[in-house]
Each structure stands twice: as C-alpha cells, then as structure tokens.
Amino acid sequence: MSRDLIERADRTVAATYLRHPVLFEKGQGCTLWDSDGKSYTDFVAGIAVCALGHAHPGVARAVCEQAGRLVHVSNLYYTKPMVELAEWLVGHSFADRVFFCNSGAEANEAAIKIARRTFYEKGEPERFRIVAASGSFHGRTMGALSATGQEKIRKGYDPVLEGFDFVPFNDVPAMAGAVGPRTCAVLLEVVQGEGGVRVAEPEYLQAVRSLCDEKGMLLIFDEVQTGLGRTGAMFAHEHYGVVPDVMTLAKALGNGFPIGAMLATEAVASAFGPGAHATTFGGTPLAAAAALEVVRTLEAEDLPGRARRMGDYLRSRLEQLRERHPIVRQVRGKGLLVGLELSVQGAPVVKACMERGYLINCVQDTVLRFVPPLIVETEAIDGLVECLDEVLGELQREP
Ligand SMILES: *Cc1c(COP(=O)(O)O)cnc(C)c1O
C-alpha cells in the first residue's frame, strides 16, 4: 500500500524534495508510526514545528471546535481568536502589534516590506538596503530568498530582489563595514538553524543592536525556528537581553497548523496602515485558535524551561559521544535546537538512525540537527544517543 502511494506521489507531486521512502500515518507525542506499523521516535518534529508533540489533544480540540463554529471570514472583519492571539503575543514580547500570515517566508516578507516602508514614510525611500548574514535561511519566496545568504538556495532565480548585503555571521567588524547610509535594517537569526545550528555570540548581538541604534536602522530577528520556547526561552533573543524592533515567527506557532506572524514595536508598525500589506488567510479563526492553544500550553507547562533542561541533557549526552567517536567534531546549540557536526557526510547516519527507529535530519551536509518536541523525555534522548553510538561506531569501523 505505502509502496503504491509513494510511486503515485513520485509521479504527481512536484519533485522539490528528496523524500525518505516512508509513509507516516499517525503520531502521538514524540512517536510516529509508518504504514507498516513501525514506530519512530521523532527528533525532527516536522522541522521544529510540533513543539507540543503529535496529536496534541488540546490543539486537536481547539481546531475541531473552531472548525465547527467558524473557519474563515476574511480580514475585512474582526474575529475573536485573532484578537486573543495578538494579545498573547504582544503581552509576552517586546512587540506592540502583530501582522498574521501563513508561513515563515511570508513573515519575513512582511518584515522586509515594513523595514522599507518605514523609511519611505520618513521621506527616505533611497534607504532600502538590508544587511543579512551568510549561511542564513529566511525562506523561499523571492524576497525571503533574496535575504538568504546561501548560493545554493538563490541559484537559478536571478535577478533576485535588489538591496541585500551579506556579511559573515558573528563578525562585528564585517557588520560595521557593511552598513551604510542606505541601510534600513539588519536581519539575523539568533541561532542559524538551516545554516548548521550556529549560535550568535552575546557580544555580537549586543554590538549589532548598538550599531542599529547609532545609525537609526531597524534590527529584525528571524525567530521562525528559534521562537516559542525552542531554545529554552520563549524567544531566543531573551537569552541575550537584546531587543529587536521586528521579530518573525512561524514554525511552532500552530504546532503544525500553518500560521506565521511578524511582530513589531509601535514605532515600526505604524508604517503598515490600511492597504499597506495584506493576506487572505492571515490570522484566520481556525489557524488563530490552534496557535492560541499552542502558546497557552507553552506557557502553562513551562515548555521553554523544559526545553532548557532537556537541551542541556541532550547536549551533555552528545558530548559523551564526541569523546568516544573521533568523527564527531562539535556539539552546539541552545535548548532543544541542537547540532552535532561530523567530519563526514551526515546522510548515511540519518538513514541508519531511521532504520533503527529514530528520526533526525541533517543540514549543511555534515551537521546532524536534533529538534524534538519540547515534551521529549530523557528515555527518548537516551535511546537516541545509544542509537547514534552504534551507528557512528559502525561508520568508523568501515574502511
Ligand atoms: C523554516 C524557516 C523559514 C521559512 O519558513 P517557511 O514556513 O518554510 O516559509 C524562515 N526562517 C527560518 C529561520 C526558518 O527556520
């Protein structure tokens, strides 16, 4: 059955992904089951999306109840879940206003647009350039892609959007040298996720904030992957005491229900008046009801705190692997956004772990990334570490 479905998918679905030949049918917490009934412990979580785990009863209930009441009416009107979600986000962050959309890329599009519009409104339309980091990832739409500091992602889409300058991550002098009178904003991830789990240094973010203040530029944090508890704080920038002007969210916000958000201070948000930006589905009652349940649960169960503790435990266990296996170069990350860099290709490790019932993924060819649901237990971590121990051991025994 699954073989037939996989073949049918490969004939009809756009071939933009090299998928693993497995078909998942259900999930529960940190466990997934494929069509053969085989179970897997999930350290991917839909790529840092399912923070509360699979089939979360609260989210399921919120979605079902809302679906039976009102799914969508358009942003021409008011709806309650959106108001409550906006209030929660504003109440738990530096921001004063929220623009809702449907994905991380769209949230970053909104951030890019609001940065340009802010200076347009100030009578400085020539001030439209944005400095971003090499190795960054901001999404696949034309604007977000133009802000992404990876050749392989921009390849074939020239001319990309004008006005982006790239500097090495964690390099203060490079940043200071790249900003100019036409720079309107700096756009950074607090931890580069797709870029190989690279954590910003505190001095770096502090220096960039000062530079932005000095030059009157906006600081935008892309917290699409790091936001909402993943790194051990509700938002990753809280670890640093550095406050941005704009922040983007998506991945964990709906626990799998698609929703994104761009948050901004009042001073910036005022650039988005009626008609300045829009999206049909943004903040629709169904998505907002799902997200409201997610954020309330994150807070009620202190999942950021749990991510911090479990992340510390996972990293300490992975450090033990580094001592035992010379092909492990480095363990890094924050909270439950963890990377393990190998001196060899990671794909065979991902495959071997999958055969043993553990889902992990690999970024930048050699970095294994672990982003489990924030509800992950120590037993699951121990199981993963044992599995990796075997797989890495076998890999090193091969000639
Ligand atoms: C995943 C991701 C995006 C893109 O989100 P989509 O929902 O896939 O458009 C943007 N920025 C970061 C940091 C991400 O991790």
Side-chain angles (χ1 to χ4, degrees), residues 17 46-49 102-108 136-141 144 148 188-195 221-226 248-251 258-260 337 369:
Y17 280 86
I47 314 188
V49 166
N102 313 287
S103 68
E106 268 182 75
N108 286 326
S136 63
F137 182 79
H138 299 297
R140 302 289 194 142
T141 54
T148 291
L188 292 173
E189 292 156 273
V190 179
V191 180
Q192 289 189 336
E194 308 297 316
F221 283 154
D222 176 346
E223 292 231 27
V224 167
Q225 187 159 158
T226 55
T248 55
L249 299 175
K251 286 192 163 82
I259 178 168
L337 172 47
R369 177 175 51 176

